[in-house]
Amino acid sequence: MSYPPQTPQKALPGAYIQTPAVRSIPAPQSYLSNFLQHQSQALSQRGQVTQTGTEKSDVEDIQPIARGAKAVDEALWEESRYPDLDNYIGRELYLRSTIVKLTGTVEGISSEYEVSTQPAWAPFQKTKMYTIPDRIFEQYNRAQVSTIMGLFADFNHAWVAIDNALYLWDYTHPNPDLVSFENASHTITAVRLVAPRAGVFVPSVVRLLVVATTADIILVGMSAQTASNGGKAVALYSLKMATPVRGLDVDVIEGSNATGRIFFSGRGSNDIYEFTYQQEEKWFANRCAKVNHTTKGYSTFTPSLLFGPKAQQEIVVQMVMDDSRRLLYTLSSKSTIRVFFMRNNTALDLVITKRLGQTLSNVGHMTSPTDLISPSMRLVSISAITAQEAAKTNVVASTSTGCRIFMSATSSYGSSPSSSTAPTSMQVQHVKFPPAGNSSSQQNQPSESTQVTQYSNPTAINTSSKALVPTRTAVRYAPGYFLTFVARDQQAGTDLLFVSGADTGRIAQPQEQQPPIKYPELALWLNLGSRAEDIGLASGAFSASSTPVGFGNELAVQFDKPTSEIAVLTNTGVHMLRRRRLVDIFAAALRLGGGAEGLEGEVNKFVRRYGRGELASTALAVACGQAFDVTSDSRLARISDPEVLELARKTFITYGGKAFYNENSRVDRSVPAVDSVRPSPRHEGVARYISRLLRSVWKAPITVENMTPTGGFVVSPAVGLNKLQNISQDLTKLKEFLDTNKSFIEGLAGPEALGNVNTKNEEVALQGEHRALHALVVLIDRVIEGIAFVLVLYDEKIEETILSLANETRQQVRDLTYERLCATDQGKTLAKDLVKAIVNRNISSGSNVETVAEALRRRCGSFCSADDVVIFKAQEYVKRGAEAGADSDVCRDYLNESLRLFKQAVASLSMEQLNWAVGQYVPLQFYAGAIQLCLEKARESDRGNRALTWIQEGRPQGVSDSSPKLVTSANKGQDKRVEAFEARRRCYDLVHQVILRVEQSRTQSPDIVDGHLTSSGRRREEAADEIDSADDEVFQTDLYDWYLENNRADQLLEVESTYVVTYLERRSSDDTAYADLLWKYYIQHERYQDAAAVQLALAKSKFMLSLDKRIEYLGLARTNASTTRPGIVRSTRSEVLREVSDLLEVANIQGDLVQRLKGDSRISADRRPQVIEELDGAILPLTVLFNTYCEPACYFDLCILIYEAADHRVASDIKATWQNLLERAHADAEEMGEQGPRPYEMVAEAVRSLGNKLQLSQTMFPVPELLPMLKRYAHSYQPDSQPETWMLDIFIDLQVPFETIYATLESMFYNDEPPFHGRNRRLIGNDIVYIAKMWFQDSIRGSGSPFGGEDNAIAVSQMLHMVMQSGLDERRLEECQNLRMRIEVMLR
């Protein structure tokens, strides 16, 4: 097999053909409906995203920037389809395809954990412990009744209630101030921080502190401000809001962040109360009150009568709020879960009661009996799962044996309830059993890491592990952080903390194993050394997406959102736990994995778990300094160890995989081979890392417009400027890394790497890899510049800049996202518009434009290039010139310099800028400069002169004949040269405007004053010289079009330029108006032969011209061709004249034919217009005229004329046609009757008329044939009613020589042919006497010789003598005798 040339000879960045996305594997046929819905939505979004980012198909050769954007879009889409919680708890995850395949045949149970045995792979780490201040212990020592502690972790505060006093402190501060509340009169039993109801308190009150005592519940306002050290400074305010609760012993409080409602319960009842509050008292409502939502009316006060043994009272031990579904969950002391629905802002309806027995029954269908799920265990805590995280799963309950029971609440027919509908039933969906391991062996492990097990054998789920027995309490935070406090040593009063989290990497990219891992988790044991009192989420609530699909993808937000931190309050202090990101884990594995020797083992372990693409992405992130770790002094710092960074670099380069191309898998051979290349995992990793850096900004708008309360206009960034700066810094580090190591990275090393390939497939794969990686490198550069541009935009009074834009552009800026800004031509165009607006604002305000432009060019060259800077300088010179005054020399210098700069950067000069420049030049009378700049821009816009070739080819598929500037979108799509012409034409339109302004100025100021040329006149002459001397043929063509469109034909005819003739000749083929101008132009410039040639061509053309118009052109052509002028070749002139005359003769015949047909009654009224239309146009061949019209219509006179024009000399045909003519004339006369002429008159007129037209042609007007013919006609038809000599008078009138007539009669006399033989010979004799008499009289005029000579006279005399013997009439005889006598006399 032979191959064409394979590689380029030089390094051409981006020259390799680009690579399409990995083709999707066909989706399985069976899916869970919920997952299918989310995935189909994601697929449709992916299609929209890819189309927006590239706006071209895979087959097309799209630009690198668009290809890079497409790769980022696909990476974002891949991460957005991370499975939601409903689909991976208790379900199998198969190898990734377009849609993750799920099966519902496996029990909803699992026990897959990987409990870290190495600190490097630990999913969480304890970052720091904050001790309790000594002042708290001092207060604690004074306690008399009770002490309770807790956390407000989201404000970095802890609290302690000692008897009736409450103290708060910032646990992150080394020496915090105590914030106290000592207004309570009774012992405090519970404290809770809740959100206030909107509109009740002043905005500074951001939270409400709900303080429950043995007698009442008190609301305390709390404000919070960010301190200088980054912490929160809180203050408490007395709201004078309280309600009595004596006897309830309140210990459970919960609040709704969405509605501000407060619910509570106590040790003395199982009822749910609500603390209601409002801004002021009303007639039937106090400011504060409590409402019992479970026991109504008088039953509250009715004692219950119990008979038999006293049963243990059921009480509420925990309440959890789910604002996303408007649900309140409660857990009772008997492990009963109740669900309440907040139907409106005042109601609370009990909708579900899930008792422990029902829960055990549900679990019994999933697993065999086990001690871990039995009536002896109890539920120790519940945690809500919001609708944002899972569409179906609502709550997870933790058991005293360490199990987690995931439950769903559904409405009718199993559908998930919405926030407006209440659920009706609750079912167990999944049970997560504790990890395997001997519980007794866990207690003596180090606090940082203890001995643990690997992932359980997936073929057998461990349902009997007591590793988490006894679980004292547990809590779950999104997206699956599970913290369990195990009280192994009750006497010591310490807890072991088991903390786990979903193995996001494995869920995102399941491994190919049979059977696969189900709900994999990473876990860690921590020995707190004390008893936990409270736990709280110190960081914001986690959310990678606003929908369940993609919500839990921690990998996607590694570099976009702060890492989750959890605070655990014990009796010794506050322990901070940090969720370790995958990048942190991998960096630690490189640092602690044995250096270069252990690298391969760590890499292989990582690849088995998360895949090679994730390895490349994570290694790249570590190499770019994204990893963090806790230092020895408990600080969180970036990992900058050179050894770690080098190992990460080596991992990315060495273990990044290879691109793949299989020629046998290529189906469509019309698609370039490189389009079938599958890029390497390294490319996937780079695209994934970029997408994770950009995920918060990629689809975000650049600006957000708002109005202030006072009506002011404010433009703010949708993404914080600090965030943008951080992203830019991270991308810059990535760019530096790729630039530094490109010689080692396969695909970025350039053509030199082709020397290492061995096969054609490897070469194609390398080309595809280069194309894909180069696209990402280009995208990185563009995004860095795009962010820099946005930062500059907000530094330059963005409100004024936005307001200066046109409405349409302003709307486009509102819709502009970072993706469009950085990856589309539209975004780049809008950015340039914004740059122009910035510069124009600086120009108008008098600021230094050069400084601003140079800053823009330096920071974001793609949006403000070096040419842009030159243009801005030119604009500033124009402004200075205007300030100097139009008539000053300084102004001309400034304008000339601006023109030079504009020409220097003309390639980057936009039409808007060109319009601005011309608009400034014209008022300053810098006409020539404006024309020069427009023409220069036109040439630059079409450097290949494509517009000229299009014009020379007759403007195919573009401009119409009637409107030279009518160009349709369809035409543009068919011929790219039309676009080139349109680009030039926009520049030429400005020149036309300048011409109009020049003419207008001539009416305002004269050209000459006192015999001297004025400055205005001189500038007008300069403009005229620029136009006349322009060597741009396209411009001249457009200018002449403009002249004619504006009725300036006379102005066109006065132009002295070769382009005029070329223009008119080219346009003449389409329109007679241009041809008329052409021959008029020739006549005006005394080129008569050329004018005749044009007129002849018009007469012969296929234009829709009438026959009269063609005859007119032929007449003019004959006149011009007959005009002599020095320098004209005689032969050429004669040739043209002859052709014109011949064609004119045919045209006249055709004209006569048209007139004849118009009055011919034989033609029907319907047929006549068609016949006339056929003839009243192009000059037809004589053959067509004769055979089609004249002969069939018996127009014999025209037939004879055709004989003459065609030089047809067949005597018999001519004679027959004459005979037919005579008969036809006679017949026509008879048809007319008495009202018409007499027949002989009709015949005589026909002969006379035709004789004149034939000019007595001897061939076509043969007198020897015609005279006998007429004589026979006169003898045959009514001889008595006719004048005797009428036929002879015809020839005499036609000035036929008497000698010819006499000779013909003489011949007839001697021939003695019928009917003129015998006695009838006298008729001929009479005619001879008449002609001889007329000849004699004519010849003797002016003293001439009779009959032209003596010989003729003798012959005539002799002939007369013979005629006298033929029996003449008496009158003729007498005339004959007299004539002879006179002849004899004259002969003597």
Side-chain angles (χ1 to χ4, degrees), residues 54-62 67 70:
T54 65
E55 298 178 356
K56 293 188 178 181
S57 63
D58 291 339
V59 178
E60 295 180 1
D61 186 17
I62 60 178
R67 190 173 295 278
K70 180 179 178 182

Side-chain angles (χ1 to χ4, degrees), residues 1099 1105-1108 1110-1111 1143-1158 1171-1182 1184-1185 1189-1190 1198 1201-1202:
L1105 297 175
S1106 67
L1107 183 61
D1108 291 340
R1110 296 176 189 271
I1111 295 174
L1143 192 60
L1144 182 59
E1145 183 178 3
V1146 176
N1148 286 327
I1149 295 173
Q1150 185 171 334
D1152 292 342
L1153 177 60
V1154 172
Q1155 297 302 320
R1156 190 76 57 84
L1157 288 173
K1158 287 181 179 180
V1171 174
I1172 299 303
E1173 182 180 357
E1174 293 172 355
L1175 289 170
D1176 192 15
I1179 300 175
L1180 300 179
L1182 290 171
V1184 175
L1185 295 176
Y1189 300 100
C1190 293
L1198 299 182
L1201 292 175
I1202 292 175

Side-chain angles (χ1 to χ4, degrees), residues 1181-1234:
L1182 290 171
T1183 303
V1184 175
L1185 295 176
F1186 183 85
N1187 294 327
T1188 306
Y1189 300 100
C1190 293
E1191 186 178 38
C1194 298
Y1195 298 151
F1196 300 113
D1197 54 340
L1198 299 182
C1199 291
I1200 295 173
L1201 292 175
I1202 292 175
Y1203 292 158
E1204 173 70 13
D1207 197 18
H1208 183 74
R1209 297 178 179 271
V1210 179
S1212 59
D1213 291 343
I1214 298 172
K1215 181 178 179 181
T1217 304
W1218 272 106
Q1219 183 65 45
N1220 291 334
L1221 173 64
L1222 300 181
E1223 293 177 356
R1224 183 65 187 174
H1226 180 81
D1228 290 342
E1230 288 185 343
E1231 289 180 3
M1232 295 180 186
E1234 296 180 357

Side-chain angles (χ1 to χ4, degrees), residues 1294-1351:
L1294 291 174
Q1295 297 182 359
V1296 175
F1298 287 102
E1299 185 175 5
T1300 302
I1301 302 172
Y1302 175 80
T1304 303
L1305 291 174
E1306 183 181 24
S1307 175
M1308 291 176 63
F1309 184 82
Y1310 284 124
N1311 288 340
D1312 194 20
E1313 295 178 353
F1316 304 109
H1317 62 88
R1319 182 172 175 79
N1320 288 337
R1321 288 183 66 191
R1322 61 184 177 81
L1323 299 177
I1324 303 301
N1326 291 335
D1327 292 338
I1328 291 174
V1329 173
Y1330 177 75
I1331 285 299
K1333 179 182 177 181
M1334 298 299 294
W1335 189 7
F1336 177 79
Q1337 293 175 358
D1338 182 74
S1339 61
I1340 63 175
R1341 290 188 187 129
S1343 302
S1345 298
F1347 304 107
E1350 183 177 351
D1351 293 338

Side-chain angles (χ1 to χ4, degrees), residues 113-127 448-450 452 455 480-482 498-504 520-526 554 563-566 577-586 588 609-610:
Y113 296 86
E114 182 169 344
V115 186
S116 177
T117 59
Q118 302 172 356
W121 290 87
F124 293 86
Q125 64 183 153
K126 188 165 72 172
T127 59
E448 290 298 327
S449 177
T450 57
V452 292
Y455 276 122
Y481 307 146
F482 179 59
F498 178 80
V499 56
S500 66
D503 193 347
T504 309
E521 286 188 293
L522 300 174
L524 176 71
W525 281 98
L526 291 173
E554 295 181 86
T563 306
S564 297
E565 287 188 319
I566 300 171
L577 301 181
R578 174 178 175 267
R579 171 64 162 168
R580 299 184 75 202
R581 305 172 301 167
L582 191 58
V583 64
D584 304 330
I585 293 174
F586 184 68
R609 289 185 175 184
Y610 309 120

Side-chain angles (χ1 to χ4, degrees), residues 156-177:
N156 296 332
H157 274 65
W159 59 270
V160 59
I162 302 173
D163 295 336
N164 64 339
L166 176 65
Y167 301 99
L168 287 73
W169 75 94
D170 182 356
Y171 56 76
T172 63
H173 199 283
N175 186 24
D177 295 329

